[in-house]
Amino acid sequence: RKEVEQDPGPFNVPEGATVAFNCTYSNSASQSFFWYRQDCRKEPKLLMSVYSSGNEDGRFTAQLNRASQYISLLIRDSKLSDSATYLCVVSLGAGNMLTFGGGTRLMVKP
Amino acid sequence: DAGVTQSPTHLIKTRGQHVTLRCSPISGHKSVSWYQQVLGQGPQFIFQYYEKEERGRGNFPDRFSARQFPNYSSELNVNALLLGDSALYLCASSIVKGIDEQFFGPGTRLTVL
């Protein structure tokens, strides 16, 4: 079993749609949780950290359920520029290695 | 401010050869981590160095080695290259203390023929 599992997609959605990605992790000792975005043939870039209370950044909302070891990302009002691969990432805390899921590919169409 | 830099950007080698990849972290960052990303998969952790000492090692064979220099730059070495070593090699730097975020460089794309 992979440590971090994601649906690889692709998710094909029209502009303006709301799309949700899910992720599960196996290590209950994980302390830090993130969503990274990776454009084709580029490096991953931090989209947002995920907190137990849930957090929102503009059109993006992330939630964490520690009991179920489940992380989600919701994108509202999708833009063409949101097309990318979204990587679910966990770590044991500051200074520790990042464990990545396989990524979920999103394609937003006009 | 300059971000994480990596060299070279692209590299083509043949099986059995050796390769050295280089990384310069963001100024003030003392930790460097290396990741391998095979096409279609998420990055996998190879090594972490902090203050020139190895702090972590992923599930990679001994053909992979790394080091960190006094200026906090780092090298990743891979010996006896295999076709399966073809990947994007990413370097990430971080402050470590109290800060989770790791900042990634653009990567070195290695092709082994």
Side-chain angles (χ1 to χ4, degrees):
Chain A
R1 182 186 174 191
K2 291 182 181 179
E3 290 189 57
V4 181
E5 298 214 49
Q6 297 181 248
D7 180 345
F11 284 59
N12 295 296
V13 303
E15 270 188 292
T18 295
V19 61
F21 304 141
N22 303 317
C23 161
T24 57
Y25 61 94
S26 61
N27 190 344
S28 59
S30 298
Q31 295 295 322
S32 303
F33 309 89
F34 313 93
W35 284 101
Y36 274 72
R37 171 194 168 127
Q38 187 172 28
D39 293 297
C40 189
R41 304 183 76 81
K42 298 285 190 181
E43 73 273 22
K45 292 187 178 178
L46 180 66
L47 178 66
M48 57 197 303
S49 300
V50 188
Y51 305 114
S52 295
S53 55
N55 48 302
E56 187 174 308
D57 182 2
R59 298 181 293 109
F60 299 85
T61 300
Q63 294 198 314
L64 168 66
N65 184 321
R66 284 185 183 266
S68 301
Q69 296 181 198
Y70 172 95
I71 308 163
S72 66
L73 176 68
L74 184 76
I75 305 176
R76 290 181 299 277
D77 189 23
S78 299
K79 311 290 185 191
L80 295 176
S81 57
D82 293 334
S83 297
T85 295
Y86 291 83
L87 296 159
C88 178
V89 185
V90 306
S91 91
L92 295 177
N96 286 278
M97 70 177 202
L98 301 179
T99 301
F100 287 80
T104 298
R105 190 172 171 204
L106 171 66
M107 298 180 68
V108 182
K109 310 257 178 172
Chain B
D1 283 343
V4 178
T5 59
Q6 291 186 243
S7 63
T9 54
H10 295 83
L11 202 51
I12 299 175
K13 293 283 190 179
T14 56
R15 281 180 296 175
Q17 284 190 309
H18 161 271
V19 68
T20 297
L21 310 181
R22 295 178 176 84
C23 170
S24 292
I26 293 170
S27 177
H29 287 194
K30 298 182 178 180
S31 175
V32 169
S33 298
W34 288 94
Y35 294 82
Q36 180 198 63
Q37 186 173 25
V38 173
L39 193 64
Q41 298 180 19
Q44 274 200 295
F45 172 73
I46 311 175
F47 285 109
Q48 184 188 31
Y49 277 80
Y50 177 67
E51 291 279 17
K52 302 176 286 292
E53 290 191 3
E54 183 182 302
R55 279 195 58 176
R57 183 183 184 119
N59 188 23
F60 280 81
D62 291 343
R63 298 184 297 107
F64 288 76
S65 64
R67 54 180 176 167
Q68 187 177 33
F69 298 100
N71 66 354
Y72 304 110
S73 67
S74 177
E75 279 184 358
L76 175 69
N77 295 284
V78 187
N79 292 323
L81 285 167
L82 302 174
L83 296 179
D85 295 331
S86 296
L88 179 67
Y89 288 85
L90 295 159
C91 173
S93 79
S94 66
I95 297 175
V96 174
K97 291 189 176 180
I99 302 292
D100 274 327
E101 184 174 0
Q102 296 191 20
F103 297 82
F104 284 85
T108 294
R109 191 163 298 278
L110 172 65
T111 302
V112 182
L113 302 176

